[in-house]
Amino acid sequence: MTVKLQIKNLEEQEYTINMGPQHPSTHGVLRLVVSLKGEIVKNVQPHCGYIHRGIEKMCEKLTYQQIIHLTDRLDYLSALISNEAVCIAVEEALEVEVPERVKYIRTIMDELTRIASHQLWWCSFGMDLGGLTCFFYGLRDREKILDIFEESIGGRLILSYYTPGGLMNDIHPNFKQRVKDFIKYFRKILPEYDQLLTGNVIMQERTKGIGLISKEDAISFGFTGPSGRGSGFSCDLRKQHPYGMYSKVDFKEVLYTEGDTFARYKVRIAEMWESMKIIEQLIDNIPEGPYSVKMKPIIKLPEGEYYQRVEGCRGEFGVYIESRGEKFPYRLKLRSPNFSNLSALNTLSKDQKIADLVAIGGSLDYIIPDIDR
Amino acid sequence: MPFNIYDFTSFTQWIDKSLYDSCTPFWAMIWEMSIIGVVFLAFYAVVGLYLVYAERKICGFIQCRVGPNRVGPYGFFQTIADLIKLLMKELIYIKNADKVLFNIAPFIVIITSFLAIAAIPFAKGLHAIDFDIGVFYLMAVSSMGVIGLLLAGWSSNNKYSLIGAMRSGAQIVSYELSVGLSLVTIVVLAGTMQLSQIVELQRDGWFIFKGHIPAFIAFIIFITAGIAETNRGPFDLAEAESELTAGYHTEYSGIKFAFFFLAEYMNMFIIASIAATVFWGGWMPLHFPGLENFNHFMDFIPPFIWYIGKTAVIIFIMMWFKWTFPRLRIDQLLNLEWKYLLPINLFNVLLMAFIVLKGWELF
Amino acid sequence: MTNEQLKEKVIAIVPNAEVKENKQYLIVTVPQNKLYTLAKTFKESEDTAFDYLFCLSGMDWGDSLGVVYHLESTKYHHCIVLKTKTTNRENPVLDTVCDLWKTAEFLEREVFDLFGINFKNHPDMRRIFLEENWQGYPLRKDYVDEINIVER
Amino acid sequence: MEKILALTSNQIMFIIFSAVIVMFSILTVTTRRILRAATYLLFVLVSTSGIYFMLQYQFLAAVQLTLYAGGIVVLIIFSILLTSHINQKFEAVSWKTIAFGTIASILGIVVCITSILQFQFKASTLAIQEINMKIIGRSLLNYGENGFVLPFEVISILLLAAMIAAIIIAKKVKDTKI
């Protein structure tokens, strides 16, 4: 009589689970193939491409004004900032000087976008950790920014407000007042975020010392944005390579050196404060003037190659344009921050628990359309 | 008909007597069983549904929104509509599942919570069974619910379910110790395990007041461990939706899912009932020795209202926890139990025994 | 380090490098067999310390395929652009830099996926966005897809 | 029909419980899936505790539920979860085993039935009475007559030893070259 019961040694047995493409914690259609030993993550292989749209190929057949509308669809939470990269690249190539007013408005809008994006990150990070209430708190406040956008721009998510040479249209007369009201409101409400999540013991235990990445690795992985600054990688392009009004306003580059999930969390919370500071410095001083310079209806960039880097909400966003003097770019490459950040995921989550993988993913705050492009 | 809202003893005896007078013992017994069964089933369903409603309203309130408000006044019939929807939903057939266990599992979960309800004293004389070992019985019965979760997780043949089942197994088995020991603390104080007697002993003050510090510690531990045992946030690792989609009931649909759902809420109700009964005096009104007028005034509120009120408060606390705290990680969860709650609990029992032996009475 | 000094350094390592300068960056085109040496020296030597590869783009210049590397030093904040190309369109092979900059592992997979450039010594050369059995390389200029690409 | 109606509640419950026990015992040993066997065993144990409840022997019934149903079956199921896959089945039993099994069980039945038949059941005049928890508690920790303190202590030491051993086994060996 042989009862064949294979008692496998669990310590040596790895098994694989598919997180995604439909999974609540991947914030979109990303598929992570996770090898587990018990609850411990041994290997994470991201499988991208579920919403690959070939934007880079599409750009080769679109004029520069049209490309603006595609860059919205990359990182939809920092749509304006991606727009700005293309706009500045084109303006630099044509050597067009945009009016001061445009620079002011662009910078304010960028920072509003950054706050809105970080609010949504906070919502989903709380949710990843299991604190569902965060989601509604964050969305409640984000709604106020979207209302401001809606009034001036017309859209709420995919904005396409900037255009080479300026803006699509002028800001709404209420804009200044509403932004000031929002800043006043949000200065009061942001400490509430800390009360709900930051100070929570469970949250701190869940995030401290989890998903460690050293500064060297962060640089090597191109791990930029708030995630990189959590490791002490000074990569804030608003400081390093200023554009817009950033060289003229006073703000700090938030740096934490711990390199864990909690540091990345704190960077983003602190960045919201800094963004508010930037907006406050600019909002009262928006100069009068035209909101756009007159551009030719068909823009032809002179032959050559142009690269523009901007600080997106999740890291360095870059546009590399090679032009052959036509109305379409010969090649347009988009450097997406999320793609580089994702490449570090395996290193970050090695030997952590499944729950930590979710927390780390939340702290990287990846946006899948930006990874897939 | 001797109906008295302050004492149901005569009422239940009257039903019993009139049944045995009117028909043969066999049929009397069948009738009695059926009546109790139907009453409990109805109670179970209504409480379960309205706990879901309460949770949605409370969570809405905490999250700055209104919650259900379309079906009926204040969305009062929303959960009933949900139940009808769940009843009509397709039961998804899983190809490679172990069908027998897959179908049995929700029933095991729901039956164990049903068994526990039988021993809870709802009001004076309103009791299905008054066991001599009431507290022990409750612990015994509640220890079986985990089998349903384990079977559900394993038989779904899904890795997420399996991880969820493992987690819930480890979690419930560990936290059972804390639940048991914190109840033992009160049993030491009361000197009995019979629930009706435990309630009766709190006539001159609830145990949480009478029991000095150890009773208070035991209450905190009981609530913590109780939340963990019912798999609710912040201890809802077994169904951690951001990690495991839905844990052990990922593959369930329709009414079988509703069973898990209902059982979760009923388990919460049971834990709250036990806490109310053992620590807060069950249906016993709030009494303080010496304050005769106050005590008399409190007696006017019917016991059933007292019982429901106390349970509701504890349930509210549990819901408050869930919607405020993030979720723990599995190793932190087990550390909390084995490294903190259990040693504190053991020490607490000793302290309580010492106090009882010394005969220190608060009042 | 100024662009002038960088230029001298490039010439010292790769004498036949083609050096160009535009408004932003110093652009260096090197033969494919010298790229890895140059990149390694630039990353490792103390006075250049190009430790941050912020962009890696695959290119199709019509007659040749190539890769553009945008490098920055987080220490000195100077940048440089390296280019390399291969005229072999059938089976293009370049050296990988993913042992120098870890981010290159994913970026090179992307280039492989969309341009079909194979990277020697890359640990995991698979397609990243498209399916494994996808025919052709979409970002090449001669890629044909009659259904989805509409010529205007 | 007349006979059925004359049965008391105790008799009906006894019949139900014993039927469940017999049926699921047979299923436990005949099923070829290990987790199903464990589940059927659970039903057997729960029904047994039902019989104890019927006998007003509530303490033992609750112990049966906690230890066997809630404790041992959970452990068994847990270990099966860790080790076996859902598609695993036992091999079919050979005819030799069936033959030996049948002989052994028939022998067992014969022994049991003869011993039961030979026993003189005396009619008890005592009313059914709950055994007070206090009596159980006192006798468990009593060193006088009818005291069980020695076996109680011996068992607790045994359990402690088992627990320590379990911890040592479960503990990971960090360095294998000791």
Side-chain angles (χ1 to χ4, degrees):
Chain A
M1 181 178 124
T2 48
V3 181
K4 270 196 182 164
L5 245 187
Q6 286 174 305
I7 313 277
K8 293 168 204 150
N9 192 353
L10 266 181
E11 289 291 314
E12 277 152 32
Q13 186 193 359
E14 276 186 24
Y15 63 104
T16 318
I17 62 170
N18 263 311
M19 270 198 168
Q22 306 296 335
H23 189 274
S25 76
T26 55
H27 303 222
V29 273
L30 175 68
R31 177 169 150 224
L32 301 175
V33 178
V34 187
S35 297
L36 296 169
K37 262 184 192 176
E39 284 251 347
I40 294 165
V41 176
K42 284 292 165 194
N43 190 15
V44 185
Q45 277 299 326
H47 284 225
C48 321
Y50 283 87
I51 40 175
H52 185 77
R53 294 149 294 176
I55 284 186
E56 286 174 18
K57 184 81 176 173
M58 285 160 80
C59 288
E60 289 173 14
K61 283 281 178 280
L62 292 175
T63 62
Y64 293 99
Q65 286 99 328
Q66 288 170 321
I67 286 169
I68 301 287
H69 300 276
L70 281 181
T71 49
D72 281 337
R73 272 86 178 159
L74 296 166
D75 186 346
Y76 48 81
L77 292 179
S78 62
L80 286 175
I81 304 178
S82 323
N83 291 346
E84 193 173 13
V86 180
C87 291
I88 297 180
V90 173
E91 284 152 12
E92 296 272 313
L94 294 173
E95 296 178 355
V96 173
E97 183 64 33
V98 292
E100 277 288 284
R101 182 178 175 81
V102 172
K103 282 189 182 171
Y104 270 81
I105 294 171
R106 277 186 185 175
T107 309
I108 292 170
M109 288 290 187
D110 282 359
E111 291 311 307
L112 283 175
T113 309
R114 198 179 311 281
I115 295 178
S117 164
H118 284 355
Q119 276 170 341
L120 193 73
W121 155 80
W122 186 77
C123 303
S124 53
F125 185 63
M127 210 163 66
D128 283 341
L129 292 180
L132 292 167
T133 303
C134 307
F135 194 74
F136 291 89
Y137 273 48
L139 279 188
R140 177 193 62 188
D141 305 329
R142 183 166 180 266
E143 209 57 17
K144 296 200 173 355
I145 296 185
L146 295 189
D147 285 345
I148 295 173
F149 281 163
E150 194 181 3
E151 203 177 45
S152 283
I153 299 170
R156 288 166 70 84
L157 185 73
I158 304 176
L159 301 159
S160 307
Y161 184 46
Y162 307 156
T163 176
L167 308 168
M168 291 274 182
N169 49 304
D170 207 351
I171 47 169
H172 193 270
N174 288 348
F175 179 74
K176 276 188 196 174
Q177 192 52 45
R178 291 195 68 163
V179 170
K180 276 194 262 184
D181 287 347
F182 170 75
I183 298 288
K184 211 170 132 196
Y185 164 81
F186 197 52
R187 272 195 184 277
K188 258 189 286 178
I189 222 82
L190 194 49
E192 210 173 79
Y193 286 23
D194 290 341
Q195 282 168 11
L196 185 61
L197 198 61
T198 319
N200 192 305
V201 184
I202 299 174
M203 186 270 178
Q204 296 199 359
E205 285 289 312
R206 280 287 303 276
T207 50
K208 275 186 184 163
I210 299 301
L212 283 169
I213 184 161
S214 66
K215 187 179 169 186
E216 285 67 39
D217 270 355
I219 295 170
S220 179
F221 272 117
F223 197 61
T224 49
S227 314
R229 291 195 281 280
S231 305
F233 173 23
S234 160
C235 56
D236 194 338
L237 294 168
R238 295 174 294 172
K239 280 275 182 214
Q240 312 290 355
H241 301 276
Y243 56 94
M245 289 304 294
Y246 289 114
S247 52
K248 288 171 194 134
V249 287
D250 166 47
F251 71 102
K252 279 207 300 283
E253 176 179 9
V254 186
L255 277 182
Y256 283 88
T257 48
E258 290 91 339
D260 57 1
T261 308
F262 192 55
R264 295 193 277 276
Y265 176 92
K266 281 192 292 185
V267 169
R268 286 197 168 87
I269 292 284
E271 274 194 2
M272 286 200 253
W273 287 108
E274 292 301 319
S275 292
M276 282 195 281
K277 223 162 84 184
I278 297 173
I279 295 172
E280 273 177 338
Q281 288 171 44
L282 295 175
I283 190 72
D284 281 325
N285 309 322
I286 302 178
E288 293 300 317
Y291 62 83
S292 177
V293 286
K294 188 100 179 90
M295 301 283 280
K296 282 183 200 145
I298 292 171
I299 298 171
K300 285 183 180 170
L301 290 202
E303 198 170 327
E305 52 194 74
Y306 310 97
Y307 193 93
Q308 182 57 42
R309 313 162 72 180
V310 290
E311 180 66 22
C313 303
R314 278 156 204 79
E316 177 177 338
F317 181 80
V319 182
Y320 176 55
I321 300 174
E322 182 169 327
S323 172
R324 295 204 165 170
E326 292 163 15
K327 60 180 179 177
F328 306 133
Y330 182 72
R331 162 97 169 101
L332 190 137
K333 154 89 188 174
L334 301 157
R335 191 261 185 219
S336 76
N338 293 298
F339 190 58
S340 303
N341 290 2
L342 183 75
S343 64
L345 187 65
N346 192 16
T347 313
L348 284 165
S349 50
K350 205 156 210 157
D351 292 329
Q352 312 277 10
K353 302 267 190 303
I354 308 177
D356 294 333
L357 174 64
V358 174
I360 292 164
S363 77
L364 296 188
D365 189 21
Y366 37 65
I367 300 289
I368 314 301
D370 193 31
I371 294 171
D372 284 352
R373 283 163 302 186
Chain B
M1 184 173 149
F3 189 72
N4 178 0
I5 54 164
Y6 295 100
D7 190 349
F8 286 89
T9 324
S10 48
F11 177 63
T12 45
Q13 275 169 358
W14 172 74
I15 291 176
D16 185 58
K17 196 164 162 285
S18 49
L19 272 176
Y20 273 90
D21 285 350
S22 55
C23 35
T24 57
F26 177 80
W27 285 112
M29 184 198 68
I30 296 284
W31 274 112
E32 209 169 294
M33 282 179 170
S34 317
I35 290 173
I36 293 175
V38 168
V39 166
F40 268 84
L41 267 177
F43 179 76
Y44 192 94
V46 169
V47 169
L49 282 180
Y50 278 92
L51 279 178
V52 177
Y53 173 75
E55 166 128 296
R56 291 172 68 174
K57 272 289 179 194
I58 289 170
C59 124
F61 171 68
I62 291 175
Q63 297 177 343
C64 322
R65 48 192 183 91
V66 254
N69 64 344
R70 288 300 155 102
V71 188
Y74 301 103
F76 206 65
F77 302 120
Q78 179 69 53
T79 43
I80 293 172
D82 285 347
L83 179 78
I84 294 168
K85 178 200 76 179
L86 281 172
L87 278 170
M88 300 204 301
K89 261 190 162 176
E90 184 191 359
L91 290 171
I92 293 170
Y93 162 75
I94 312 282
K95 203 174 170 192
N96 284 323
D98 189 331
K99 258 182 282 166
V100 175
L101 300 180
F102 187 75
N103 291 326
I104 282 177
F107 290 98
I108 293 180
V109 172
I110 207 154
I111 285 170
T112 45
S113 69
F114 204 78
L115 283 174
I117 269 196
I120 292 167
F122 295 103
K124 194 173 175 129
L126 205 62
H127 222 166
I129 320 167
D130 187 16
F131 282 125
D132 185 32
I133 48 147
V135 176
F136 190 26
Y137 169 79
L138 283 173
M139 277 155 55
V141 169
S142 65
S143 69
M144 288 197 308
V146 62
I147 294 171
L149 308 190
L150 289 174
L151 291 183
W154 189 82
S155 65
S156 306
N157 196 11
N158 175 328
K159 282 163 187 166
Y160 287 122
S161 300
L162 187 62
I163 297 171
M166 299 285 196
R167 282 182 176 186
S168 74
Q171 177 180 342
I172 293 179
V173 168
S174 327
Y175 276 86
E176 212 133 73
L177 287 168
S178 273
V179 169
L181 276 173
S182 52
L183 288 177
V184 162
T185 319
I186 295 301
V187 169
V188 168
L189 179 67
T192 175
M193 290 219 250
Q194 197 167 5
L195 284 164
S196 61
Q197 263 188 358
I198 287 182
V199 174
E200 205 60 51
L201 279 166
Q202 302 181 62
R203 181 165 288 284
D204 53 348
W206 302 346
F207 277 149
I208 192 156
F209 301 131
K210 271 167 88 176
H212 301 268
I213 302 161
F216 189 70
I217 297 174
F219 175 70
I220 302 279
I221 291 175
F222 181 82
I223 289 290
T224 317
I227 293 172
E229 243 206 41
T230 50
N231 272 333
R232 283 187 59 83
F235 305 104
D236 57 344
L237 290 116
E239 51 199 85
E241 73 285 324
S242 59
E243 299 145 30
L244 305 181
T245 58
Y248 57 87
H249 57 58
T250 307
E251 299 289 357
Y252 283 87
S253 66
I255 194 65
K256 282 189 234 161
F257 165 73
F259 276 5
F260 283 113
F261 199 56
L262 207 60
E264 184 189 321
Y265 282 93
M266 284 317 288
N267 283 334
M268 183 168 77
F269 178 76
I270 290 160
I271 289 288
S273 300
I274 298 172
T277 307
V278 171
F279 294 96
W280 291 7
W283 46 263
M284 190 58 76
L286 180 61
H287 285 168
F288 288 109
L291 300 169
E292 287 311 316
N293 285 338
F294 176 78
N295 292 350
H296 199 63
F297 179 69
M298 285 291 151
D299 283 339
F300 274 113
I301 303 170
F304 192 69
I305 303 288
W306 273 108
Y307 164 79
I308 287 290
K310 288 171 191 175
T311 314
V313 169
I314 294 172
I315 286 175
F316 176 73
I317 293 174
M318 290 165 88
M319 287 180 178
W320 196 0
F321 278 168
K322 166 152 187 167
W323 296 109
T324 313
F325 291 140
R327 187 183 303 118
L328 274 84
R329 206 171 52 213
I330 184 74
D331 55 327
Q332 292 167 348
L333 180 94
L334 296 179
N335 272 354
L336 176 70
E337 163 66 14
W338 293 101
K339 289 190 180 163
Y340 300 99
L341 293 187
L342 195 63
I344 293 173
N345 225 331
L346 287 168
F347 178 73
N348 199 29
V349 174
L350 273 182
L351 192 66
M352 183 56 107
F354 183 72
I355 287 174
V356 170
L357 277 181
K358 280 279 174 190
W360 289 340
E361 294 230 340
L362 212 58
F363 34 71
Chain C
M1 231 183 216
T2 60
N3 282 353
E4 286 306 311
Q5 285 168 303
L6 280 174
K7 206 186 227 168
E8 277 165 28
K9 222 172 145 73
V10 171
I11 298 297
I13 301 164
V14 189
N16 58 347
E18 195 184 307
V19 184
K20 220 167 51 179
E21 203 174 334
N22 73 355
K23 253 191 331 190
Q24 280 172 306
Y25 303 119
L26 186 74
I27 300 165
V28 178
T29 313
V30 286
Q32 63 188 90
N33 54 347
K34 287 282 162 52
L35 176 97
Y36 184 80
T37 342
L38 182 67
K40 196 175 166 70
T41 334
F42 267 14
K43 166 144 199 258
E44 282 164 6
S45 71
E46 199 45 47
D47 50 347
T48 47
F50 284 110
D51 49 358
Y52 175 30
L53 172 72
F54 63 87
C55 192
L56 189 155
S57 338
M59 295 299 273
D60 180 2
W61 285 295
D63 53 341
S64 57
L65 293 169
V67 179
V68 181
Y69 304 85
H70 285 76
L71 299 174
E72 189 185 353
S73 158
T74 54
K75 202 163 154 194
Y76 307 110
H77 295 294
H78 52 215
C79 301
I80 193 166
V81 181
L82 303 184
K83 282 187 185 176
T84 183
K85 59 177 81 174
T86 165
T87 46
N88 184 354
R89 289 183 73 87
E90 289 306 307
N91 189 21
V93 181
L94 294 174
D95 283 325
T96 182
V97 292
C98 69
D99 52 335
L100 303 175
W101 299 283
K102 287 177 185 166
T103 179
E105 186 179 334
F106 268 45
L107 294 168
E108 283 177 353
R109 274 180 70 188
E110 189 195 340
V111 172
F112 170 69
D113 193 354
L114 303 175
F115 288 93
I117 298 172
N118 238 310
F119 288 91
K120 219 159 51 191
N121 303 331
H122 188 285
D124 187 20
M125 201 80 255
R126 286 180 294 131
R127 284 188 180 268
I128 188 163
F129 294 134
L130 305 175
E131 294 160 34
E132 291 290 327
N133 53 359
W134 189 275
Q135 292 294 316
Y137 303 102
L139 275 185
R140 284 193 186 183
K141 290 283 173 188
D142 54 5
Y143 179 73
V144 193
D145 182 345
E146 278 160 1
I147 300 157
N148 295 315
I149 298 180
V150 183
E151 288 291 334
R152 278 175 297 172
Chain D
M1 199 62 198
E2 286 290 303
K3 265 189 176 173
I4 294 173
L5 289 181
L7 292 171
T8 62
S9 60
N10 264 359
Q11 283 166 318
I12 294 170
M13 293 315 287
F14 178 75
I15 289 167
I16 294 173
F17 280 135
S18 25
V20 168
I21 292 176
V22 170
M23 200 173 77
F24 280 104
S25 306
I26 292 170
L27 278 175
T28 306
V29 290
T30 50
T31 183
R32 279 168 58 195
R33 289 169 190 266
I34 186 164
L35 197 62
R36 283 194 196 170
T39 317
Y40 297 144
L41 181 66
L42 170 78
F43 293 136
V44 174
L45 295 169
V46 171
S47 309
T48 318
S49 85
I51 287 185
Y52 291 146
F53 271 120
M54 239 175 60
L55 294 171
Q56 301 280 317
Y57 205 21
Q58 290 159 357
F59 180 68
L60 193 64
V63 167
Q64 171 90 7
L65 279 184
T66 331
L67 283 189
Y68 287 96
I72 290 174
V73 171
V74 170
L75 274 185
I76 292 174
I77 290 179
F78 212 68
S79 45
I80 294 171
L81 250 58
L82 287 168
T83 51
S84 90
H85 190 257
I86 191 155
N87 295 325
Q88 242 168 18
K89 277 186 189 175
F90 287 118
E91 279 180 8
V93 185
S94 69
W95 65 270
K96 260 188 200 168
T97 327
I98 295 175
F100 280 121
T102 326
I103 293 166
S105 48
I106 287 173
L107 280 178
I109 291 171
V110 169
V111 170
C112 284
I113 289 179
T114 43
S115 58
I116 288 170
L117 288 179
Q118 276 171 7
F119 186 75
Q120 298 286 317
F121 287 97
K122 284 176 200 155
S124 161
T125 48
L126 287 169
I128 299 168
Q129 183 190 342
E130 281 184 29
I131 292 154
N132 199 325
M133 274 304 300
K134 272 192 179 147
I135 301 170
I136 296 174
R138 292 248 160 82
S139 55
L140 207 56
L141 291 176
N142 197 350
Y143 53 83
E145 209 175 328
N146 295 332
F148 285 93
V149 76
L150 186 66
F152 184 83
E153 281 303 315
V154 169
I155 286 170
S156 22
I157 287 169
L158 180 74
L159 286 178
L160 186 68
M163 215 151 83
I164 292 168
I167 291 170
I168 287 172
I169 290 171
K171 217 174 172 184
K172 271 184 204 149
V173 183
K174 289 243 170 76
D175 191 25
T176 41
K177 294 175 220 157
I178 301 171

